[in-house]
Amino acid sequence: MSNASRLLVVDDDQDLRDTLAEQLGLHDEFQITTAETATQAIEAVKGDRIDLAIMDVGLPDMDGREAVKVMRQNGFRSPIIMLTAQGSDSDTVMGLEAGANDYVVKPFKLAVLLARIRAQLRQYEASEDAVFQIGPYIFRPGSKLLTTEKGSKLKLTEKETAILRYLYRAGRAVVGRDTLLTEVWGYNSNVTTHTLETHIYRLRQKIESDPSNASILVTEPGGYKLIP
């Protein structure tokens, strides 16, 4: 199963909500959850991990901007994109000040919304707030930290963090050594696969209960994959 980004689509217009859920769900990089009221949205982000919320302004039980404010006060840190039929500057400012990250005016092209979603997710993944689950660890790439369920912290190097982040985003797909070298060290680097293997070895010493028999960061023909 891929480590798809979990999106919450919140709109009281069932046709639009269903269409967005269907169209976004065609992309393997996303898992979609829906809600039709602000109250449902506020509860949804308290439960399962939500990587990005798409919020309509005109919800039946509460203004979407007020709902965003409550979500932020409750500790929700993932990106929020607001949908609105009003495209005025003041409307946009109100949404951003409430805690939204971006604004999309209806009617909109799906390609535009997709680009905004991906841009926000990229920014979030690089931020201090990003949080991922890897095996028994909470992975905070922005802080270069793995935290155990008991609260113990494992400090990672910049390269170890980049390796884990890239493998996480690949889901359970095998990532080739050359791909990892390019993504982590850059196109113009003269680093060899031996350097990569050394970093993988050190990572396993940190995260595996039995490094000689890896169950989280595993070697496959042609490369590596992460089993979160």
Side-chain angles (χ1 to χ4, degrees):
M1 180 178 173
S2 171
N3 293 313
S5 296
R6 300 182 185 184
L7 309 186
L8 174 66
V9 177
V10 188
D11 201 303
D12 64 328
D13 181 333
Q14 184 174 349
D15 289 341
L16 177 58
R17 189 172 70 244
D18 291 348
T19 299
L20 277 178
E22 180 183 354
Q23 293 298 313
L24 293 173
L26 293 174
H27 299 266
D28 290 340
E29 67 199 278
F30 304 132
Q31 286 181 4
I32 313 300
T33 302
T34 63
E36 57 184 304
T37 67
T39 303
Q40 289 177 3
I42 290 166
E43 288 303 310
V45 300
K46 287 181 184 175
D48 290 338
R49 189 193 86 226
I50 299 295
D51 296 307
L52 181 142
I54 301 166
M55 295 279 297
D56 187 31
V57 168
L59 296 171
D61 55 338
M62 187 188 301
D63 185 293
R65 290 163 297 206
E66 288 302 313
V68 167
K69 197 176 294 183
V70 172
M71 289 158 67
R72 292 305 192 205
Q73 288 169 351
N74 289 346
F76 183 65
R77 294 287 174 263
S78 298
I80 298 174
I81 297 176
M82 302 220 68
L83 304 180
T84 179
Q86 305 296 322
S88 69
D89 289 344
S90 61
D91 197 62
T92 302
V93 169
M94 285 172 65
L96 296 176
E97 287 185 344
N101 299 82
D102 202 354
Y103 238 72
V104 175
V105 179
K106 299 176 182 177
F108 54 83
K109 287 186 168 65
L110 184 68
V112 172
L113 181 60
L114 266 173
R116 299 283 187 90
I117 289 170
R118 288 169 176 152
Q120 290 297 330
L121 287 171
R122 282 195 301 271
Q123 290 178 33
Y124 176 68
E125 285 178 23
S127 76
E128 289 292 325
D129 292 326
V131 175
F132 309 110
Q133 183 80 37
I134 295 179
Y137 305 101
I138 298 296
F139 177 38
R140 291 180 169 83
S143 304
K144 302 184 182 69
L145 278 179
L146 289 172
T147 308
T148 67
E149 293 173 352
K150 294 181 179 179
S152 299
K153 294 180 179 179
L154 299 173
K155 189 68 179 171
L156 301 171
T157 67
E158 183 178 341
K159 299 303 185 192
E160 289 169 348
T161 301
I163 290 169
L164 282 183
R165 181 193 279 131
Y166 194 82
L167 289 175
Y168 181 90
R169 273 295 159 221
R172 291 175 181 256
V174 177
V175 177
R177 291 175 175 82
D178 288 342
T179 300
L180 264 182
L181 280 171
T182 299
E183 293 294 332
V184 175
W185 277 272
Y187 288 97
N188 299 319
S189 173
N190 293 319
V191 173
T192 65
T193 55
H194 175 72
T195 301
L196 172 62
E197 287 160 3
T198 299
H199 279 76
I200 295 290
Y201 172 82
R202 289 174 180 165
L203 252 177
R204 284 180 174 149
Q205 297 298 314
K206 291 182 178 181
I207 69 175
E208 300 281 1
S209 56
D210 180 5
S212 63
N213 185 25
S215 61
I216 300 173
L217 204 178
V218 301
T219 301
E220 294 283 349
Y224 303 99
K225 74 175 180 181
L226 203 60
I227 301 180

